[in-house]
């Protein structure tokens, strides 16, 4: 329920704000958003992930990690604010002079909240995590809408970026009732910091891949083109991020508890991949297939170029979801150093694909993203097979069938949407969605391997949904 509500809020946010603001407004904030995302990465630098994965975490260790996160966040936020003239010169955009310092505060707020989230997740207090996430999103969206209606322009998006984390941190701190003690040396903090640095460096390389498209488009093609691309990218990945983030907080503690009881983790992870893959690939398939009517309906007039970008990115999203499951396998096996080594090869390869694609405009960048995702996933599995003895062939077979079913569903959805193009948009989208769903479900049911996996996947999804609502 929590993930579904988060996705709904994300879609409403994109729909409403795209009608109240211009592509240029989104492009300006997206230019800074790349560096805010980098700051959020640096202020964590893998420490929350190291704390979440730790088999035992004392109160003093949690306090030490809290103060390290706050210190890193303060330094990173200050560095971003000081670098304002450099960003203005890089983008040749003087309006960033005031936007950059304002958004630097987002990094500091995130640093305060990092270990609060870990503590709640380790205690499996998912109702607090979900409630605070949804409440902060709603209040942030309300602030953005009010500002946009008042004529604030791109400052409406800045307001949303500030209100959301402020509400989130305040809510979780009050709910946790936790007060960190002062920093004390020792307590195995050095080892945890080393593990966090390995995760953090790997995440930094992932950041480069995920944000290279925005940097390239913003620098080469300008704010308007970046705004058009960014809306398509956010419309696709925004809802997915709302699923993946909370899922990490559920899957890792759950599987670790099962392993502590002597159970093998691979079967559950494989079922997780199938359940998550079916759901997310179905989303990408249906939305990509109906994009010609869906995107104009959601974003309104003036976003025509976003439709083709969205459809292309949906293909890449089908591979992205399986790479995410492989990422979980690295964490569950405590393979922080191997994850780093893998990223040192895969992420520069992905960035190269995006740079080559940028020679053909924003659609070329989108195709570069597809190629990058299609190459990264099999490389990921091969690496895990060698370093963690993961049964890669089982995961590959499972994923390939789901991807093929989704692509066929997307083709059917595209054909049905085109055939009903003269009908009202809602009817045309519904026809495309129904056709795409029927074809994808038919393929999964026709293949014996996936047909056997469907009932366990449904049970697993129900169990994860229960945990996401706070039931343990």
């Amino acid at each position: 329920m929590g993930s579904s509500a988060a996705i709904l809020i994300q879609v409403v946010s994109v729909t409403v704000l795209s009608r109240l603001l211009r592509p240029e407004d989104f492009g300006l904030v997206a230019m800074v958003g790349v560096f805010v995302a980098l700051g959020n990465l640096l202020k964590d630098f893998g420490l929350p992930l190291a704390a979440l994965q730790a088999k035992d975490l004392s109160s003093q260790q949690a306090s030490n990690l809290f103060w390290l996160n706050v210190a890193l966040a303060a330094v990173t936020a200050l560095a971003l604010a000081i670098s304002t003239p450099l960003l203005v010169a890089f983008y040749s955009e003087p309006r960033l002079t005031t936007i950059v310092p304002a958004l630097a505060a987002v990094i500091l707020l995130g640093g305060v909240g990092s270990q609060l989230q870990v503590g709640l997740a380790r205690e499996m207090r998912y109702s607090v995590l979900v409630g605070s996430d949804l409440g902060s999103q709603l209040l942030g969206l309300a602030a953005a809408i009010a500002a946009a209606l008042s004529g604030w322009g791109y400052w409406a998006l800045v307001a949303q970026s500030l209100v959301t984390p402020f509400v989130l941190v305040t809510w979780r701190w009050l709910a946790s009732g936790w007060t960190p003690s002062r920093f004390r040396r020792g307590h195995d903090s050095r080892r945890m910091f080393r593990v966090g640095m390995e995760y953090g460096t790997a995440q930094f390389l992932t950041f480069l891949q995920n944000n290279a498209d925005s940097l390239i488009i913003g620098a080469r093609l300008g704010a308007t083109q970046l705004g058009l691309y960014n809306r398509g990218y956010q419309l696709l990945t925004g809802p997915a991020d709302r699923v993946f983030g909370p899922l990490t907080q559920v899957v890792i503690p759950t599987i670790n508890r099962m392993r502590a009881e002597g159970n093998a983790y691979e079967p559950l992870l494989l079922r997780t991949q199938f359940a998550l893959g079916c759901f997310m690939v179905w989303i990408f398939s249906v939305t990509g297939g109906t994009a010609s009517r869906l995107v104009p309906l959601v974003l309104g007039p003036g976003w025509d170029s976003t439709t083709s970008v969205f459809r292309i990115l949906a293909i890449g999203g089908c591979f992205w979801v399986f790479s995410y499951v492989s990422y979980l396998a690295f964490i569950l096996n405590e393979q922080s150093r191997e994850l780093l080594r893998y990223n040192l090869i895969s992420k520069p390869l992905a960035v190269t694909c995006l740079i080559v694609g940028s020679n053909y405009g924003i659609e070329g960048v989108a195709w570069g993203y597809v190629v990058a995702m299609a190459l990264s996933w099999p490389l990921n599995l091969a690496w895990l097979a060698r370093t963690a003895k993961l049964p890669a062939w089982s995961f590959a077979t499972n994923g390939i069938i789901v991807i093929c079913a989704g692509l066929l569903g997307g083709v059917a959805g595209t054909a049905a949407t085109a055939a009903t193009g003269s009908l009202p948009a809602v009817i045309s989208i519904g026809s495309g969605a129904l056709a795409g769903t029927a074809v994808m479900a038919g393929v999964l049911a026709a293949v014996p391997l996936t047909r056997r996996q469907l009932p366990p996947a449904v049970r697993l999804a129900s169990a994860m949904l229960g945990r996401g609502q706070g039931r343990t």
Side-chain angles (χ1 to χ4, degrees), residues 2 44 57-58 64 73 79 140 156 202 211 257 280 286 329 342 370 397 405 407:
D44 281 343
L57 186 71
S58 69
N64 286 354
N211 293 275
R257 288 196 176 192
M280 294 307 304
V286 167
Y342 160 75
V370 174
T397 304
L407 293 176

Side-chain angles (χ1 to χ4, degrees), residues 188-203:
D188 204 27
S189 297
R190 180 173 296 182
R191 181 192 65 81
M192 296 194 69
F193 188 68
R194 176 186 59 78
V195 172
M197 286 188 64
E198 291 172 349
Y199 281 132
T201 305
Q203 290 171 338

Side-chain angles (χ1 to χ4, degrees), residues 398-455:
N398 175 294
I400 290 171
I401 295 173
V402 175
I403 290 173
C404 291
L407 293 176
L408 290 173
V411 171
T414 301
T417 303
T420 56
S422 60
L423 299 176
V426 174
I427 296 177
S428 181
I429 293 170
S431 300
L434 183 61
T437 302
V439 169
M440 181 175 175
V443 172
L444 293 175
V447 178
L449 177 63
T450 50
R451 183 170 63 245
R452 291 193 301 269
Q453 292 175 334
L454 282 172

Side-chain angles (χ1 to χ4, degrees), residues 32 35-36 39 75-85 87 100-101 103-105 107:
V32 186
F35 296 94
V36 172
V75 171
T76 306
L78 180 62
L80 178 59
I82 293 174
S83 66
T84 299
L87 299 185
V100 176
L103 289 179
I107 301 172

Side-chain angles (χ1 to χ4, degrees), residues 270 273 377 381-382 385 390-401 449:
L270 184 61
Q273 173 178 285
W377 178 47
L381 288 177
L390 189 79
W393 182 247
S394 298
F395 281 82
T397 304
N398 175 294
I400 290 171
I401 295 173
L449 177 63

Side-chain angles (χ1 to χ4, degrees), residues 13-323:
S13 176
V14 171
T15 301
V16 175
L17 295 178
S18 295
R19 284 170 164 76
L20 297 176
L21 302 171
R22 303 168 300 170
E24 185 180 21
D25 296 327
F26 290 98
L28 285 169
V29 175
M31 287 176 172
V32 186
V34 173
F35 296 94
V36 172
L38 175 60
N40 283 327
L41 177 65
L42 295 177
K43 57 87 178 168
D44 281 343
F45 219 70
L47 295 179
L49 193 55
L52 182 65
Q53 171 60 12
K55 293 181 174 62
D56 297 298
L57 186 71
S58 69
S59 177
Q60 186 58 55
Q61 286 175 326
S63 296
N64 286 354
L65 292 173
F66 171 83
W67 292 117
L68 284 172
N69 271 139
V70 172
L72 286 171
V75 171
T76 306
L78 180 62
L80 178 59
I82 293 174
S83 66
T84 299
L86 297 176
L87 299 185
V88 170
F90 177 74
Y91 287 116
S92 299
E93 182 51 74
R95 286 174 289 183
L96 299 183
T97 302
T98 51
I99 298 176
V100 176
L103 289 179
V106 175
I107 301 172
L108 183 58
L109 289 169
V112 174
S114 293
Q115 293 301 323
L116 295 175
Q117 176 173 313
V118 171
L120 291 168
R122 289 182 66 90
E123 295 172 5
M124 292 192 169
R125 296 179 63 185
Y126 299 123
S127 58
V128 175
L129 290 170
V130 172
S132 59
D133 186 42
L134 297 179
S136 62
Q137 287 183 62
L138 284 172
L139 290 175
L141 176 58
I145 292 174
L149 291 173
S150 301
W152 286 22
Y154 54 80
W155 280 105
L157 300 174
V158 176
Q160 182 182 28
S161 299
L162 291 170
V163 170
T164 301
F166 177 78
V167 173
L168 185 69
V169 170
T170 304
W171 190 321
R172 289 179 175 176
W173 202 316
L174 293 175
S176 69
W178 177 65
T179 302
S181 60
R182 68 179 181 85
F183 184 91
R184 290 184 174 87
R185 300 184 64 174
H187 299 275
D188 204 27
S189 297
R190 180 173 296 182
R191 181 192 65 81
M192 296 194 69
F193 188 68
R194 176 186 59 78
V195 172
M197 286 188 64
E198 291 172 349
Y199 281 132
T201 305
Q203 290 171 338
F204 173 73
L205 294 169
T206 301
F207 163 86
L208 292 180
Q209 171 192 304
N210 292 343
N211 293 275
D213 48 2
S214 294
L215 283 171
I216 294 166
I217 295 172
R220 298 187 65 177
L221 304 176
T224 299
Q225 290 297 306
L226 177 56
L228 292 168
Y229 179 90
N230 177 261
R231 285 299 82 190
Y233 187 83
Q234 288 299 319
L235 188 60
L236 183 82
T237 63
D241 287 336
R242 295 299 179 183
V243 174
F244 292 166
L247 187 66
T248 303
Q249 308 297 320
V250 175
V251 171
I252 293 176
T254 300
I255 293 183
N256 277 339
R257 288 196 176 192
M258 291 185 63
R259 296 176 76 177
E261 296 169 358
N263 298 309
Y265 82 97
E266 291 93 342
L268 180 57
L269 187 62
L270 184 61
R271 290 198 298 272
T272 300
Q273 173 178 285
F274 184 71
L276 180 64
C278 286
F279 177 69
M280 294 307 304
V281 170
W282 171 71
I283 293 291
F284 296 145
S285 173
V286 167
T287 55
T290 60
S292 60
R293 305 298 301 276
L294 177 65
V295 173
L297 178 66
V298 172
L299 299 184
W303 298 89
D304 296 339
S305 298
T306 301
T307 300
S308 58
V309 168
F310 178 83
R311 180 178 282 124
I312 297 168
L313 291 175
I315 301 173
C318 294
F319 294 94
W320 172 42
V321 62
F322 294 103
S323 289

Side-chain angles (χ1 to χ4, degrees), residues 377-389:
W377 178 47
L379 178 60
N380 206 324
L381 288 177
W383 205 286
L384 284 166
R386 182 181 64 85
T387 61
K389 308 304 180 185

